[in-house]
Amino acid sequence: MVGQVAELGGWIAEGGVVVLSGAGLSTDSGIPDYRGPSGSARRGTPMTYQTFTGDDVARQRYWARSHLGWRNIGDARPNDGHRAVADLQRLGLVDGIITQNVDGLHQAAGAHGVVELHGNLARIACLHCGELTGRTEMAARLDAANPAFAGVATAINPDGDAELDDAGLDGFRVVDCLGCGGLLKPDVVYFGETVPIDRVERSFALVGSARTLLVLGSSLTVMSGRRFVLRAAKLGIRVAIVNRGVTRGEPYAGIVVDAPLGIVLPHLAREATSGSPEKIRI
């Protein structure tokens, strides 16, 4: 493993790195992973766009759960892994960042130009007029509409959807768009919903121009992220993976490091800053 980290440091030093990040990068910020050692698979079925727009009761339950989940996601702060990625970008070694996460922590750490494949929980979109508003405003409106709401989350998913007993959902009031009265939805891609084509095309363009695709904290279980690894492999672009546990991208990777991102990434950033190799203890 130490040798793999040293080799990865050499790849990064050559520049041209494009990062593809997943939920495992945010676990040190208190946001659980779906499948990694620090989290567990979701117990409930994720919300679909069709259910959200077509079922009033399901939408009420979702907003109650999401309102609780936001208290966790909204308070999260970037960890050492996020800051290391931003440092590598400032050094000119990372040319682009593609994230499957919806927590905005790359940007909070100082990264720029991040392609948010699945959107961002900090934004709320009206499905009728398209107006975007901040999640803080939405949370205040929901608090005002539900002063007696005392639901307690039993678990938080990386998409901000909390798990809680149905008894805690009774009477929860949903609010609509202040401008047009339309349905409000977090500006994220729901299960079964298509990622906007411009984000996909921009991501493929970044991968196509990369020297190295660096996957961070993703099991690559779903095609949403794995397709970029497949594209890199097809184009002969190097693939490196840093993740806790097995990933579906390993057959395509020249380097695989199964170690804590909060240790490996800061180490790599320090090496890049100093210009000389360091010993790593994992």
Side-chain angles (χ1 to χ4, degrees):
M1 185 182 300
V2 171
Q4 291 284 76
V5 173
E7 186 177 7
L8 177 56
W11 285 15
I12 290 174
E14 295 174 8
V17 177
V18 169
V19 167
L20 171 63
S21 67
L25 183 60
S26 293
T27 56
D28 286 348
S29 295
I31 301 174
D33 194 353
Y34 281 126
R35 302 173 182 87
S38 59
S40 60
R42 171 197 284 274
R43 291 193 293 271
T45 302
M47 176 59 69
T48 67
Y49 183 85
Q50 292 75 15
T51 301
F52 183 86
T53 56
D55 187 328
D56 291 345
V57 174
R59 187 165 58 255
Q60 174 207 34
R61 291 178 173 177
Y62 171 82
W63 269 117
R65 298 194 311 266
S66 184
H67 186 45
L68 285 177
W70 175 247
R71 295 174 182 174
N72 178 271
I73 304 292
D75 287 341
R77 295 294 178 265
N79 60 53
D80 289 343
H82 295 113
R83 286 188 283 270
V85 172
D87 287 343
L88 291 172
Q89 187 182 46
R90 280 192 290 269
L91 290 169
L93 302 175
V94 167
D95 291 343
I97 301 169
I98 306 163
T99 186
Q100 298 170 273
N101 300 337
V102 294
D103 51 39
L105 292 179
H106 275 300
Q107 297 93 316
H112 59 85
V114 180
V115 180
E116 296 177 309
L117 278 178
H118 300 152
N120 192 314
L121 280 170
R123 297 188 299 264
I124 302 296
C126 174
L127 298 181
H128 180 70
C129 69
E131 182 180 5
L132 294 176
T133 55
R135 187 61 179 259
T136 301
E137 176 185 333
M138 181 66 170
R141 292 185 62 202
L142 288 173
D143 281 338
N146 299 277
F149 179 59
V152 177
T154 58
I156 305 292
N157 290 307
D159 59 4
D161 192 0
E163 296 173 9
L164 72 162
D165 295 333
D166 283 350
L169 302 170
D170 291 343
F172 189 86
R173 291 184 56 205
V174 176
V175 298
D176 296 322
C177 178
L178 288 172
C180 72
L183 297 181
L184 294 176
K185 167 184 172 292
D187 191 25
V188 297
V189 176
Y190 282 173
F191 186 76
E193 196 175 355
T194 303
V195 176
I197 188 63
D198 62 314
R199 298 179 197 170
V200 177
E201 291 177 344
R202 186 179 170 198
S203 298
F204 275 132
L206 285 172
V207 172
S209 63
R211 181 178 283 120
T212 298
L213 177 62
L214 176 58
V215 180
L216 302 176
S218 176
S219 63
L220 300 171
T221 299
V222 297
M223 187 55 73
S224 176
R226 192 164 73 252
R227 57 184 159 181
F228 301 116
V229 172
L230 298 177
R231 176 64 64 87
K234 182 178 180 180
L235 296 174
I237 294 165
R238 302 181 302 199
V239 176
I241 299 173
V242 183
N243 185 65
R244 298 304 307 274
V246 177
T247 83
R248 293 188 67 182
E250 291 180 15
Y252 311 99
I255 296 175
V256 177
V257 179
D258 186 345
L261 281 79
I263 295 176
V264 173
L265 294 179
H267 167 83
L268 293 170
R270 286 193 302 271
E271 277 195 338
T273 301
S274 67
S276 59
E278 298 182 1
K279 287 187 177 181
I280 184 171
R281 292 183 175 84
I282 301 176

